[in-house]
Amino acid sequence: MVTDGLTEMLRGTLEGIVLKLIDAEETYGYAITRRLNELGFADLTEGTVYTILLRLEKRGLVDVSKRPSEVGPPRKFYALNDAGRRELATFWARWDYLSSRIDELKES
Amino acid sequence: MVTDGLTEMLRGTLEGIVLKLIDAEETYGYAITRRLNELGFADLTEGTVYTILLRLEKRGLVDVSKRPSEVGPPRKFYALNDAGRRELATFWARWDYLSSRIDELKES
DNA sequence: TAGTGGTACCTTGTGAGATAAGGTAGTTCC
DNA sequence: GGAACTACCTTATCTCACAAGGTACCACTA
């Protein structure tokens, strides 16, 4: 499978991906994990996502609010704040730069 | 600069990039570093490239031959072998997969 | 009421890889 | 003999994705 060995390649982009998901919609760890699995990142586990979320919180890129769920334990909802949106913009700039450079190289 | 903080994003792709450069032309560490700097990876240093080259050699992905230079110390030339070409193909498959997923996400 | 399955959170340790910060030598030219 | 360029290498450090655990809430049912 192509998805084998994606781990190293995900470094430095996974955080941006999570930022984007949070930007699209206020959401929580368990749902983000599910969403990422759907999106093609099949091997991603909850542990990975939670370490990222805690990092984002620690860096002050997200606002957090705990809310009860009707089907399980309370959920920790994450929303991007201004710093988070700036970080996301930076992420896309870096991504565009890197992917352009690599695609150029690939076609050469 | 966009190139700031590219480090983490380069993880797992830099090796593939180096494989591609070697595939294009038998070459050596110092020249690879220069080429990468030209290609937009401005902050990349020799130390980084040499650790990758030694890893490629250890994994048996390249053939190595030392040859004298007319302008300095002898050069260690690297050429891709069959295993290296297979690895490069795998790298592109992974890259295409990852960049597609991310670009989809970006446009959504 | 004990068990199962789904939801939802977290922690700790490990490993891989890019980088920084050094070092050693060969050549050319003044 | 001292720059400046070429050319190689090593070691220690840091970050980050992940594995492998754990806790707890809720609904259902045997």
Side-chain angles (χ1 to χ4, degrees):
Chain A
M1 271 195 290
V2 209
T3 49
D4 286 349
L6 220 59
T7 298
E8 287 307 324
M9 218 178 249
L10 272 175
R11 284 182 106 94
T13 65
L14 192 49
E15 181 179 302
I17 294 171
V18 170
L19 282 173
K20 164 65 180 175
L21 292 183
I22 296 173
D23 188 47
E25 178 189 24
E26 196 187 18
T27 181
Y28 56 99
Y30 188 79
I32 291 172
T33 308
R34 287 295 111 97
R35 186 92 186 88
L36 286 169
N37 293 150
E38 280 172 21
L39 287 171
F41 306 102
D43 298 339
L44 242 111
T45 65
E46 295 176 37
T48 300
V49 172
Y50 286 117
T51 54
I52 292 171
L53 290 174
L54 291 174
R55 199 163 70 229
L56 296 179
E57 192 178 349
K58 205 169 290 174
R59 288 208 217 137
L61 304 176
V62 287
D63 294 334
V64 185
S65 61
K66 202 163 203 164
R67 293 188 223 147
S69 159
E70 291 175 357
V71 293
R75 297 166 173 164
K76 265 181 79 179
F77 279 88
Y78 293 85
L80 276 208
N81 58 26
D82 284 345
R85 276 183 284 274
R86 279 194 298 273
E87 180 66 24
L88 181 56
T90 301
F91 166 72
W92 286 129
R94 274 205 284 262
W95 170 255
D96 288 341
Y97 184 82
L98 179 65
S99 62
S100 300
R101 294 293 81 72
I102 292 184
D103 286 334
E104 276 170 23
L105 191 64
K106 189 185 163 197
E107 307 307 337
S108 72
Chain B
M1 268 195 290
V2 208
T3 49
D4 285 350
L6 221 58
T7 298
E8 286 306 325
M9 220 179 247
L10 272 175
R11 288 183 118 90
T13 64
L14 192 48
E15 180 181 303
I17 294 170
V18 170
L19 282 174
K20 163 67 180 176
L21 291 183
I22 297 173
D23 187 48
E25 180 189 24
E26 197 188 18
T27 180
Y28 56 99
Y30 187 79
I32 291 172
T33 308
R34 288 295 111 94
R35 188 90 186 90
L36 286 168
N37 292 151
E38 281 172 21
L39 287 171
F41 306 102
D43 299 337
L44 241 111
T45 65
E46 294 175 38
T48 299
V49 173
Y50 286 117
T51 53
I52 292 171
L53 290 173
L54 293 173
R55 198 163 70 229
L56 296 179
E57 192 179 349
K58 205 169 292 177
R59 287 209 218 136
L61 303 176
V62 288
D63 294 332
V64 186
S65 61
K66 203 163 203 165
R67 293 187 223 147
S69 159
E70 290 174 356
V71 293
R75 296 165 175 165
K76 265 181 78 177
F77 280 87
Y78 293 85
L80 275 208
N81 57 29
D82 284 345
R85 275 182 286 273
R86 279 194 298 273
E87 181 65 25
L88 181 56
T90 300
F91 166 73
W92 286 129
R94 275 205 282 262
W95 170 255
D96 287 341
Y97 183 81
L98 179 66
S99 63
S100 298
R101 293 294 81 73
I102 292 183
D103 285 334
E104 276 169 24
L105 191 64
K106 190 185 163 198
E107 306 309 336
S108 72

